[in-house]
Amino acid sequence: MVRDTRHDSVHLFGAICADRGIGAAIIMPAVNTEAMNEHLKEISTQVAPGAHAVLVLDGAGWHQTGGRLCVPDNITLMHLPPYAPELNPVENVWAYLRANKLCNLVWDTYDAIVEACRKAWEFLINDPERIRSIGTREWASVRG
């Protein structure tokens, strides 16, 4: 396996809507509340007009409101119980991208890492059926 001792990294914040087969993501240099606020803004732009999104989140520190998280009006946060990441459909997205696009690779520059993440996300969102197959959970679907 390829090994590298350098320590640059980026963080891909992503969300999917399995029903619509779409996703929203940003690539950030750090995981924190400010980055999460930017991600929430991006997700908000992808919510259909007149619709409301429920965003499933785990207990990560940057997912906690604590007065610093700015949640757009068209999004509601649903926090999962502790120690239950398997309930979050987006965890399958991360596993899929790691297994198929982002594993066993070494990049020479920070920009190359960002570009690899961008291409991996594009690969995912350019195939709505892939999003549906990875992210659909009957318990997480709401039909009007």
Side-chain angles (χ1 to χ4, degrees):
M1 180 172 314
V2 178
R3 186 170 186 181
D4 190 1
T5 57
R6 294 172 291 173
H7 296 285
D8 273 345
S9 60
V10 299
H11 304 275
L12 179 58
F13 285 70
I16 60 168
C17 174
D19 189 53
R20 292 175 56 213
I22 64 167
I26 61 171
I27 300 169
M28 299 296 281
V31 289
N32 54 37
T33 302
E34 292 76 23
M36 187 63 187
N37 282 334
E38 291 302 313
H39 186 221
L40 289 170
K41 285 182 202 173
E42 177 60 23
I43 294 168
S44 179
T45 69
Q46 300 303 311
V47 177
H52 193 88
V54 175
L55 185 62
V56 178
L57 301 169
D58 61 21
W62 58 91
H63 292 165
Q64 307 306 311
T65 52
R68 294 182 32 222
L69 207 54
C70 302
V71 183
D73 291 339
N74 61 347
I75 298 175
T76 295
L77 305 181
M78 182 179 89
H79 292 275
L80 292 172
Y83 310 109
E86 69 279 1
L87 295 176
N88 192 343
V90 83
E91 293 299 330
N92 290 4
V93 168
W94 305 136
Y96 179 85
L97 290 178
R98 279 191 302 270
N100 293 283
K101 294 292 176 183
L102 298 171
C103 70
N104 300 331
L105 300 168
V106 174
W107 296 276
D108 290 327
T109 66
Y110 181 85
D111 289 339
I113 298 169
V114 170
E115 183 63 11
C117 288
R118 186 192 64 74
K119 284 182 178 179
W121 187 258
E122 243 179 41
F123 173 79
L124 176 73
I125 64 167
N126 284 335
D127 188 347
E129 287 306 314
R130 180 176 290 118
I131 294 172
R132 287 183 186 98
S133 72
I134 293 171
T136 298
R137 300 292 181 280
E138 287 304 317
W139 65 266
S141 298
V142 177
R143 303 279 183 236

